[in-house]
Amino acid sequence: MADGVPVADSPIRPTGGSIMDPQFLLSLPPRIITHSYTRRDTMLYALGVGAGHGPMAEADLPFVFEEGLRALPTMAVVLAYPGFWQMEPHYGIDWRRVLHAEQSCEFHAPLPVEGKVRGELSIDAIVDKGSEKGALLRACRLIYDDADNRLLATVRQLSFLRGDGGRGGGGAALLPLPAVPGREPDRTVAFEVRPEQALIYRLSGDYNPLHARPATARDAGFDRPLLHGLCTYGFAGRAILAAVCNNDPTLLKTLECRFTAPVYPGQNLDVRIWWETAEDLAFQLVVPESRKVVIDNGRARITPSSHAIEPVVKSFPMVSARS
């Protein structure tokens, strides 16, 4: 096992066939993934979600410089990552028609800046929308520090399986994420996204050619390669850390959202943030040039702290990370 490269076991389907069987998927034991990573990997992930660029570069130093290095909480999405597992034939999923619909993380403890982690991946919910409408599948990954078995994060990913409806479902109930408030945001963080951002982010483990090779993107119906949804998710996490947590990663406890539109590398992002309580925030990501909402129904929970930025109600400052 090389540093920074997850290693996973693979389930074996007891019967033949390539049709998705929801009961088989729900009954699978957890898939174990082990992953060793270094401080370099931690810094590379931060660079992949835009840290160290623009006017906020100095404030980002704790995430990209070896002295006093900290891990961004959203790095949990790439730890013990099994890759595009839906593509593996034993799952029976029509992987060409899979869309990443929602993402959530619970951060139970600060992520080590280097070490070895263990992921336990399971499928805990499948909702059948009908033969013509597809299905929703939620996968849950528990990430443990392999040194002391401490639970670091719970990572949940909801996928829309457009080609796998009409086959039944089961497991846990899926609750819809609430809408963001209808008023003006309390804070907006403006990010400039570099044209090569996807090429940097993919070095943290997501090598889907859709994000790098123009021909693959065109075959999928896009003008050019897309930014990874989880890269955009990382920008959301950075915005909340900077705007309301004084860049203290220990204060961010949960981050969940829905992906609503693709982002191209080089498109700017505005992260709109609303206070709902002293602990609960709503957020939304918009491409300002087109006013298109690319992440919606965002929810975050923080731990209130004396050095975090207090809620504002009547002023709407812009925190800029654009040159």
Side-chain angles (χ1 to χ4, degrees):
M1 176 176 58
D3 281 348
V5 179
V7 176
D9 61 358
S10 296
I12 299 175
R13 192 176 181 87
T15 59
S18 59
I19 301 299
M20 187 187 80
D21 180 349
Q23 297 311 309
F24 167 72
L25 297 184
L26 290 165
S27 66
L28 286 171
R31 180 173 179 174
I32 308 302
I33 307 103
T34 57
H35 182 186
S36 294
Y37 65 101
T38 67
R39 297 166 72 86
R40 181 181 181 276
D41 298 312
T42 296
M43 292 184 276
L44 182 60
Y45 172 79
L47 293 171
V49 295
H53 175 61
M56 292 170 64
E58 186 172 354
D60 289 336
L61 273 180
F63 306 114
V64 295
F65 187 63
E66 57 273 17
E67 294 180 12
L69 182 64
R70 295 178 172 184
L72 287 168
T74 54
M75 189 175 72
V77 301
V78 302
L79 295 182
Y81 176 60
F84 190 17
W85 57 269
Q86 297 99 325
M87 188 176 181
E88 298 172 24
H90 38 255
Y91 289 108
I93 293 171
D94 184 357
W95 61 269
R96 295 173 182 83
R97 302 184 68 190
V98 172
L99 294 177
H100 192 166
E102 295 180 4
Q103 184 70 37
S104 74
C105 286
E106 295 179 55
F107 309 109
H108 306 294
L111 299 178
V113 298
E114 61 185 344
K116 182 178 179 181
V117 294
R118 182 183 77 257
E120 298 184 2
L121 175 72
S122 59
I123 297 168
D124 67 357
I126 298 175
V127 176
D128 187 4
K129 308 292 283 186
S131 59
E132 301 299 320
K133 296 183 178 180
L136 297 173
L137 180 150
R138 188 173 70 186
C140 176
R141 189 165 85 253
L142 302 176
I143 301 174
Y144 296 90
D145 189 328
D146 204 56
D148 58 12
N149 211 37
R150 181 171 42 130
L151 180 61
L152 300 172
T154 301
V155 179
R156 295 183 177 91
Q157 176 177 318
L158 185 68
S159 299
F160 179 31
L161 313 184
R162 294 178 294 165
D164 294 296
R167 294 177 183 137
L174 296 180
L175 301 178
L177 293 172
V180 301
R183 57 184 172 84
E184 287 294 307
D186 297 313
R187 294 190 181 276
T188 299
V189 181
F191 285 117
E192 181 182 86
V193 182
R194 300 173 67 94
E196 69 277 20
Q197 198 70 59
L199 298 178
I200 302 171
Y201 182 83
R202 71 191 301 269
L203 299 178
S204 288
D206 189 338
Y207 295 108
N208 186 335
L210 178 67
H211 306 291
R213 186 183 298 139
T216 302
R218 287 193 293 269
D219 288 345
F222 300 102
D223 294 336
R224 57 190 187 277
L226 303 177
L227 192 64
H228 305 69
L230 288 179
C231 180
T232 311
Y233 179 83
F235 274 92
R238 284 186 55 224
I240 290 170
L241 284 178
V244 302
C245 296
N246 200 31
N247 264 344
D248 182 349
T250 68
L251 299 182
L252 183 59
K253 297 305 177 185
T254 65
L255 190 74
E256 58 184 340
C257 65
R258 177 188 297 171
F259 299 107
T260 53
V263 178
Y264 291 104
Q267 288 186 317
N268 294 329
L269 292 170
D270 284 351
V271 184
R272 301 172 174 175
I273 302 170
W274 291 264
W275 286 96
E276 298 205 305
T277 71
E279 298 179 341
D280 297 297
L281 307 167
F283 68 91
Q284 183 184 71
L285 271 68
V286 175
V287 173
E289 291 82 1
S290 65
R291 300 184 179 180
K292 180 175 289 186
V293 176
V294 296
I295 282 183
D296 207 356
N297 303 85
R299 283 292 181 275
R301 173 160 288 187
I302 66 167
T303 298
S305 170
S306 59
H307 69 267
I309 300 172
E310 293 301 318
V312 289
V313 177
K314 296 183 179 179
S315 61
F316 312 114
M318 173 80 76
V319 180
S320 180
R322 293 191 189 136
S323 303

